[in-house]
């Protein structure tokens, strides 16, 4: 395996270097061919590197950046004021060919705007989309996009999302002829928004896409599709609703029985706790903390957005996602597939 | 309490009279002042009434209807072909003043279209909205609308939904100054669709509405708001996603440990089953089967849409919702509140 260099926005996210630097060291320990460029305030970053193993430090480089983009900054202001920020410097390293991908837990709107400005969308892509891979009921995984990069997605964009999602499912999840569905509010062809119906007609006519029709919100985790395409608003709503309900269940599960102090014998309580732990483990793969990192697809380069509140383990997962996307040549493969499908639909 | 007459589309839904008629009898048994008009094929309906108690039968009347609207019928065809159908006859009974509300488990689009045509929207309401009441984490309830009656809701419609939701929360859930939130993909004022931002500005300026801002999908069940306003598409997606995840969890909970046959002693298994049952009970209030019936708000009359796959218990809940909506004079109260808020926002 060849060497691979990734740029990490070390200052982004709710916790900054105290999460990103230990996560970077964890990723370096698991991937011997990985080199990481940590972008941000050198003093702060170095303090978190002080006790690291020298074999890891040989594969770390600190790149100075003087500012951080605020998590609540307005998208319109961000671009103007971004020069010298850790997020922008990390993206510029990818543009300059010094890194093959960039990972940030910072402001989503800023990352989307700057990535589009600096890395440029692929030919045939109007706007990049945020994509993640969700575990489902059948022990497999579903690619879902867009998750909120575009609040208003027209039919062309939905078709582009479908193509990008299908490439992800084939190349990264290694699913042959992945099933592709559109998120809608009913199964019948006449349902939903005009943009979705128009996208459905194009996908149905595309032999390169294994299009299976509409699915509804209740099928998010059932594994009925390998790729679920949504406009950014609905995608964000369905993902967050799912995460909210999963967290609620896990918290109810953890707290169940705790109000009954004094009731029952000690061995009954111990047994109850043991059974609860087993159940929580069973639901563990659905826990939002176990997967992290949405990939900004459709750019001439790889950009991974980590959840702002990611912990060390979760941010390390985001770094690994970047590593995988680069190795699998996701942007190049999406570009090639776009050419094929869009050429055909132009002729139709 | 005065007598109250409701019209039931006995033929609608996946199961027709074999669910609707026993559910009707169940509702009659619990509400001594209730009279039900069962609309549909007299022979079929009568066969399900054969063994009923005569005290209940005195409060039942069978109204013949010769056809049923198919669950997959296109909205455009429905209106033309609806004459004489059980759904239309049931609605006509409300228009004629022979029933005070109507309940149907049939085709949602058809019910929406026919109800709007026959019952007419209230002054100030562009289109009616589907509303339901969801249990939340804090042991309270949240009014949520629109759930899919309108796939594309503009800002005026969102404001109208907010007013209708607030009236529901005050009058039916008896919450004083109910908190009203808009579903969006971020908390900041700059986020989301233009229609949502415009509705937010109007609601913030309305002293009659206790508007608290945006909430995201993960807050659906947290009880942070009493009324959650969404465009029909996003509302449908969030509700169905929630139901899908809850059903998945309940099924995982029920099946957990079943793969371990032979392992463990008999008393351990018995104990495990007992603990599991306790947990399932704890989650029971979130089970979609425990609540049913979306109310079509904004009409000059009360129409309740039951889930097509509702069982007897669930359809009886839908009948009770209709009974409550009539007693609480929901349409009249919404009309009065609309006048007040819309007059103010015209002056602004």
């Amino acid at each position: 395996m060849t060497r691979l260099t990734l740029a990490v926005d070390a200052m982004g996210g709710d916790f900054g270097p105290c999460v990103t630097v230990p996560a970077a060291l964890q990723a370096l320990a698991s991937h011997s061919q990985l080199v990481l460029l940590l972008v941000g305030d050198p003093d702060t970053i170095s303090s978190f590197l002080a006790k690291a193993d020298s074999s890891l430090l040989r594969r770390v480089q600190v790149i100075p950046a003087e500012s951080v983009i605020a998590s609540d900054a307005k998208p319109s202001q961000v671009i103007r004021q971004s020069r010298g920020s850790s997020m922008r410097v990390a993206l510029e390293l990818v543009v300059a060919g010094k890194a093959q991908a960039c990972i940030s837990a910072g402001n989503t709107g800023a990352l989307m705007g700057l990535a589009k400005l600096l890395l440029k969308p692929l030919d045939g892509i109007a706007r990049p989309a945020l994509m993640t891979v969700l575990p489902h009921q059948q022990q497999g995984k579903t690619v879902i996009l867009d998750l909120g990069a575009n609040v208003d997605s027209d039919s062309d964009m939905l078709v582009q999302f479908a193509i990008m999602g299908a490439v992800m499912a084939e190349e990264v999840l290694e699913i042959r002829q992945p099933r592709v569905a559109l998120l809608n509010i009913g199964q019948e062809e006449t349902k939903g928004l005009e943009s979705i119906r128009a996208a459905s007609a194009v996908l149905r006519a595309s032999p390169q896409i294994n299009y299976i029709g509409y699915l509804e919100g209740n099928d998010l985790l059932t594994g009925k599709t390998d790729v679920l395409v949504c406009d950014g608003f609905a995608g964000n709503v369905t993902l967050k609703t799912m995460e909210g309900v999963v967290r609620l269940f896990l918290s109810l599960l953890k707290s169940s029985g705790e109000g009954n102090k004094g009731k029952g014998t000690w061995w009954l309580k111990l047994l109850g706790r043991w059974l609860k732990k087993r159940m929580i483990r069973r639901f563990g793969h659905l826990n939002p903390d176990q997967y992290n990192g949405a990939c900004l697809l459709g750019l001439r380069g790889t950009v991974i957005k980590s959840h702002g509140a990611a912990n060390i383990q979760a941010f390390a997962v985001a770094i690994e996602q970047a590593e995988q996307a680069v190795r699998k040549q996701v942007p190049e493969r999406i570009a090639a597939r776009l050419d094929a499908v869009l050429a055909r639909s132009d002729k139709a």
Side-chain angles (χ1 to χ4, degrees), chain A:
Chain A
M1 229 183 250
T2 52
R3 211 140 244 241
L4 193 144
T5 306
L6 305 176
V8 175
D9 167 10
M11 312 305 284
D14 299 355
F15 311 112
C18 69
V19 157
T20 58
V21 179
L25 292 170
Q26 195 172 309
L28 288 167
S30 335
H31 299 271
S32 61
Q33 294 302 311
L34 192 62
V35 175
L36 292 178
L37 312 180
L38 305 183
V39 185
D41 177 58
D43 292 344
T44 320
I45 295 174
S46 300
S47 71
F48 286 101
L49 290 173
K51 287 180 187 163
D53 192 285
S54 64
S55 70
L56 299 182
L57 289 178
R58 251 176 272 139
R59 292 186 280 123
V60 170
Q61 202 183 329
V62 178
I63 310 285
E66 59 210 20
S67 64
V68 187
I69 293 174
S71 62
D72 59 350
K74 285 189 188 172
S76 54
Q77 295 177 340
V78 160
I79 308 285
R80 271 181 292 140
Q81 298 169 356
S82 64
R83 214 164 287 274
S85 68
S86 57
M87 186 191 283
R88 182 164 182 146
V89 172
L91 284 164
E92 285 168 343
L93 288 166
V94 182
V95 177
K98 290 179 186 162
Q100 285 145 287
C102 156
I103 303 103
S104 176
N107 186 318
T108 309
L111 188 63
M112 168 79 179
L114 281 172
K116 195 166 166 245
L117 179 78
L118 300 171
L119 283 172
K120 312 286 179 208
L122 292 166
D123 285 336
I125 293 292
R127 286 173 64 85
L130 273 172
M131 180 277 312
T132 200
V133 175
L134 279 186
H136 65 63
Q137 206 174 349
Q138 315 290 339
Q139 313 298 324
K141 287 177 175 177
T142 301
V143 168
I144 173 168
L145 75 170
D146 173 36
L147 298 171
N150 310 284
V151 287
D152 218 349
S153 315
D154 63 26
S155 65
D156 289 344
M157 285 159 71
L158 291 172
V159 171
Q160 293 160 16
F161 299 167
I163 299 167
M164 298 196 287
V167 174
M168 274 303 297
E170 274 202 61
E171 304 297 340
V172 178
L173 302 184
E174 297 175 358
I175 298 168
R176 280 190 55 200
Q177 296 202 291
R179 298 160 298 171
V180 175
L182 284 165
L183 181 68
N184 203 344
I185 62 169
Q187 307 262 341
E188 303 85 7
E189 205 50 59
T190 54
K191 288 269 183 169
L193 298 161
E194 175 53 33
S195 56
I196 295 176
R197 293 200 299 270
S200 181
V202 174
L203 291 172
R204 209 171 279 290
S206 299
Q208 291 93 337
I209 299 284
N210 178 14
Y211 175 64
I212 59 166
Y214 300 144
L215 283 181
E216 300 178 68
N218 48 320
D219 278 322
L220 180 65
L221 298 178
T222 54
K224 286 189 185 165
T225 189
D226 303 305
V227 181
L228 186 62
V229 176
C230 346
D231 80 274
F233 196 91
N236 188 284
V237 166
T238 192
L239 185 76
K240 286 192 179 149
T241 301
M242 186 275 282
E243 291 186 352
V245 179
V246 170
R247 285 189 202 279
L248 169 64
F249 258 78
L250 289 175
S251 76
L252 281 176
L253 207 53
K254 279 178 192 155
S255 69
S256 69
E258 275 172 14
N260 294 330
K261 276 191 184 120
K263 276 191 202 168
T265 54
W266 62 269
W267 57 269
L268 199 60
K269 282 185 197 163
L270 267 180
L271 249 171
R273 228 170 286 164
W274 175 78
L275 274 163
K276 255 168 37 182
K277 266 195 192 154
R278 268 188 41 178
M279 284 187 201
I280 290 169
R281 235 195 342 261
R282 193 176 161 93
F283 299 136
H285 70 291
L286 295 175
N287 187 336
D289 294 333
Q290 302 298 309
Y291 54 84
N292 177 40
C295 190
L296 208 46
L297 290 184
L299 296 165
R300 297 172 195 276
T302 299
V303 177
I304 301 286
K305 166 73 179 91
S306 158
H307 203 293
N311 58 23
I312 294 173
Q313 175 57 37
F315 196 80
V317 169
I319 297 176
E320 280 170 26
Q321 281 212 28
E323 192 258 350
Q324 246 197 348
V326 174
R327 294 236 186 261
K328 300 275 187 175
Q329 301 183 290
V330 169
E332 294 81 355
R333 287 179 200 269
I334 287 176
R337 186 70 67 92
L338 271 171
D339 283 347
V341 179
L342 295 178
R344 275 198 89 99
S345 64
D346 284 348
K347 279 179 214 148

